[in-house]
Amino acid sequence: MAFRARPKFFAAGRDRDIRMSLEAALEHLAEGRWQAAHDIVHGDESPLACWTHAVVHLQEGDVDNARYWFGRAGRRFSADAKAELAALTATVARGSG
C-alpha cells in the first residue's frame, strides 16, 4: 500500500482518539518505557502507529523488527532512535504525517 506524501491523520472524532493514544505512546518512549508504548500501538495499522512501532523496536534493540515497521509506515529505515523519536513527536504535534 502506497501512502501519499503528506496525508492528514487527525481530522476529528476517532482521529482525535488515535492522536491521544500516539501522544501517550510517545510519552512512554521518551521515558524509555518501550513496552508500554508497544502495548498502545500494537494492532494499530495507521502509518503513524507503524512508525511509532518502528521506534519502539529501535529502543528495544530489535533492529530487524524496526526495519519491518518502518516499511509498514512507508518510511526509509533509520537506526537513530533519538532522531526518529524527535521527528515522530514533531509530526504528531503538527497533526500530519
Side-chain angles (χ1 to χ4, degrees):
M1 176 176 175
F3 298 106
R4 292 176 304 203
R6 298 203 52 135
K8 291 299 280 181
F9 289 100
F10 309 125
R14 183 175 180 279
D15 290 340
R16 185 173 41 247
D17 293 339
I18 292 169
R19 181 179 182 166
M20 290 174 63
S21 293
L22 288 172
E23 288 171 345
L26 293 173
E27 287 178 26
H28 288 303
L29 285 172
E31 296 296 323
R33 295 187 306 266
W34 60 264
Q35 185 61 58
H38 188 270
D39 292 345
I40 292 170
V41 298
H42 183 73
D44 184 342
E45 298 294 322
S46 70
L48 283 177
C50 289
W51 186 10
T52 306
H53 207 148
V55 176
V56 163
H57 287 294
L58 284 178
Q59 279 196 357
E60 177 191 13
D62 186 350
V63 175
D64 289 337
N65 212 350
R67 189 179 308 277
Y68 168 81
W69 286 104
F70 273 109
R72 291 292 305 267
R75 298 190 59 86
R76 183 170 293 145
F77 174 76
S78 168
D80 188 341
K82 187 174 181 178
E84 287 299 317
L85 180 56
L88 178 57
T89 299
T91 299
V92 170
R94 275 195 320 268
S96 62

